[in-house]
Amino acid sequence: MKKSMVILVIILCVVFTFAAKINSYFNNPPESGGIDVELIKLIDSAEYYIYAHLYQMGNMDIVNALVRGSERLGSSKVKLITEDHYFQTDKYKEVFEPIKNAGIKIMTDKMGDGIDRGQCHNKFVIIDDRYVWMGSYNVTVKGTYSNNNNALKFDSPIMAKIYKKEFEQMFDEGKFSIKKEAYDHPEIIVDDTKVKNYFSPKQDVKSVIINEIQNAHHSIYFCIFTFTDEDIMNAIIDKRNRGVKVYGVFDAFQGNSSYSSYKPMKEAGLNVKKDTNKGFLHHKFMVIDPNTNSDPTVITGSYNWTSAAGKVNDESTVVLKNNNEIAMKYYYEVAKCYGDGFDSENGSVVEIPQIDIKEPTFYISEVVFNDPSGDWVEIYCADDANNGNGIDIGGYYIEDDGLVKMFGDDTIVKTGDFIVVAQGWYKDFKKADNKKLYVFAEKTAFVSTDEQIIFKAKGSGKILDAVCWSNHDGSFSPGEEEDVRVVYNLKEWNSPNERECVDSTAVPSGNFSIMRRYNKTGFGSSEKIEFIDTNSLNDWVVNDSPTPGEVK
């Protein structure tokens, strides 16, 4: 394929921003791909305010980030809009309770004038008149680990101003759906990328999508959750009939609907498939002419290709042009979801770039979870994947039901180092002293009955190690079964059964720990510790003499 050649035409309606950036994120079920971590980091970076419009919530790490924002900035500086249906449902009380307790004001679409006209379907966050996060990502556990999703982060004050104006219509004026005012926001330039924003239902996003389809010269690729709009379907079929290459992936569940465009497009001979992910294919994006000398274009956001999205739902859509790097990232996401046979026309089979990176090895080696004087967790670096020269674990994090500790940048650990995370307000160590590195968290009061400690990598959100415990009473506490099952599905614990977790009733209150079994070989500088890791309760013993930062 030809590489992208871009001629930038400057016209009066274009607004410029400087030193701005755009980043794209995709999860990779059953792993988060770091999409949740990046949003948490963004929220935690807020210095002035956090405005969030989140259709559906359930990922408590992100809920806790909003609560931390309220504690840090003041509750009046954190505002939340969400869908009334979920806000009023008993199932989600535990999600919204800590937000309300933090004093954060919550607005729903029905609170405007008492009428729920459509879905309050946006998934965006605005930070400090500078950052915008948007896309298809619902901040739930399934949205993070099970359903395919994408998000974009913009570092652009003008972009933030555009989204803030939309947010304030709803939050401050109570105007939702067809009651909102329509604004034709100017095209802006962010890092040489042409960006145009649209908000449904007051702007005709359907016509925008069809216009971009009609302008396609070489190829159209898409991943879509719900696709029932016949006009968009016919526009795609027409371009295929005119020689434009088309590949698309439908969510399997929605694609089985009698209203779906999947069957007529398949019967028309288009290269379309249903996804094979166990969760939903929740994307709503199209990429046009990537890696060509035409203008590579990405259309993404919360907007499904349906009548409701255009007529009654609150939705956000962005069109990006002149950024082949991002266009190719979306192209590769279609390739991943489509699978065999993707882009095989004219003998050009595309290979998705694979990066072979040696990963470090860590073990959660000891945990105190039933000590009134203070709980703590110890992690051992068995291999820093850098020949013993150290690895920066900035952005790596520990969680239980929520975030326990995210390590700061320039925190260096080497092979053989122990990391001890304890409760306190002391300054974190940045490197180990005598193989011990101490860092501190605001709170380390772990649940002593049913719980799990998980250590995750920066960016990818990959689970590096985990330990699960329970009181062996035959059932998990509310919410814990789902948490353990996530760890089990990722093969970091050998069973989702409550009685296959470490028995917490065997750990007395006080200065006792659970410690990972190990073998020790050699002496002095040649001494080696090999921890046993079968991802089961058999790896662990009760220790009546905890030894933070070392082994007995």
Side-chain angles (χ1 to χ4, degrees), residues 327-537:
M328 288 303 292
K329 288 180 180 179
Y330 277 85
Y331 168 83
Y332 287 127
E333 180 69 7
V334 181
K336 181 185 76 177
C337 296
Y338 191 95
D340 293 342
F342 177 75
D343 215 359
S344 59
E345 294 176 0
N346 303 318
S348 58
V349 179
V350 172
E351 292 186 8
I352 302 174
Q354 300 290 329
I355 301 175
D356 184 17
I357 300 176
K358 184 182 178 184
E359 295 184 343
T361 302
F362 293 92
Y363 297 109
I364 298 172
S365 47
E366 191 168 12
V367 183
V368 170
F369 58 74
N370 198 12
D371 189 347
S373 64
D375 296 341
W376 50 268
V377 57
E378 175 192 88
I379 298 171
Y380 179 70
C381 179
D383 184 357
D384 62 19
N386 192 27
N387 299 316
N389 293 312
I391 180 177
D392 183 355
I393 60 169
Y396 286 56
Y397 58 107
I398 300 171
E399 63 181 20
D400 48 10
D401 284 330
L403 183 68
V404 175
K405 177 68 178 182
M406 181 176 287
F407 297 98
D409 291 340
D410 302 319
T411 303
I412 307 299
V413 295
K414 298 180 178 181
T415 300
D417 285 350
F418 286 92
I419 309 162
V420 180
V421 181
Q423 185 169 304
W425 297 94
Y426 307 103
K427 185 177 181 179
D428 291 346
F429 284 31
K430 289 297 184 180
K431 62 180 181 179
D433 180 15
N434 194 26
K435 293 292 184 178
K436 300 177 185 179
L437 187 148
Y438 289 93
V439 296
F440 302 93
E442 293 181 16
K443 186 178 180 181
T444 57
F446 307 130
V447 176
S448 61
T449 51
D450 301 352
E451 191 57 278
Q452 60 289 140
I453 295 293
I454 304 171
F455 184 44
K456 290 186 174 182
K458 173 184 178 180
S460 68
K462 179 179 180 180
I463 296 179
L464 301 175
D465 198 23
V467 57
C468 307
W469 62 83
S470 69
N471 60 8
H472 286 208
D473 66 354
S475 63
F476 285 104
S477 302
E480 297 305 323
E481 182 175 6
E482 185 177 19
D483 293 342
V484 171
R485 191 165 290 277
V486 168
V487 178
Y488 165 72
N489 288 339
L490 293 175
K491 299 181 180 180
E492 290 295 334
W493 199 252
N494 75 331
S495 172
N497 190 307
E498 190 261 352
R499 294 188 185 276
E500 293 297 325
C501 296
V502 177
D503 185 1
S504 61
T505 63
V507 184
S509 177
N511 191 32
F512 292 84
S513 70
I514 56 171
M515 182 178 68
R516 184 182 292 274
R517 296 177 186 271
Y518 64 91
N519 294 313
K520 187 187 292 186
T521 60
F523 298 94
S525 60
S526 62
E527 181 181 273
K528 290 185 178 180
I529 301 170
E530 296 180 357
F531 282 100
I532 296 170
D533 185 28
T534 64
N535 295 320
S536 74
L537 60 84

Side-chain angles (χ1 to χ4, degrees), residues 47 50 62 83 136 152 255 257 259 358 361 381 406 415 517:
E47 297 179 355
I50 303 163
I62 294 167
E83 164 62 34
S136 72
L152 290 167
S257 166
Y259 299 101
K358 184 182 178 184
T361 302
C381 179
M406 181 176 287
T415 300
R517 296 177 186 271

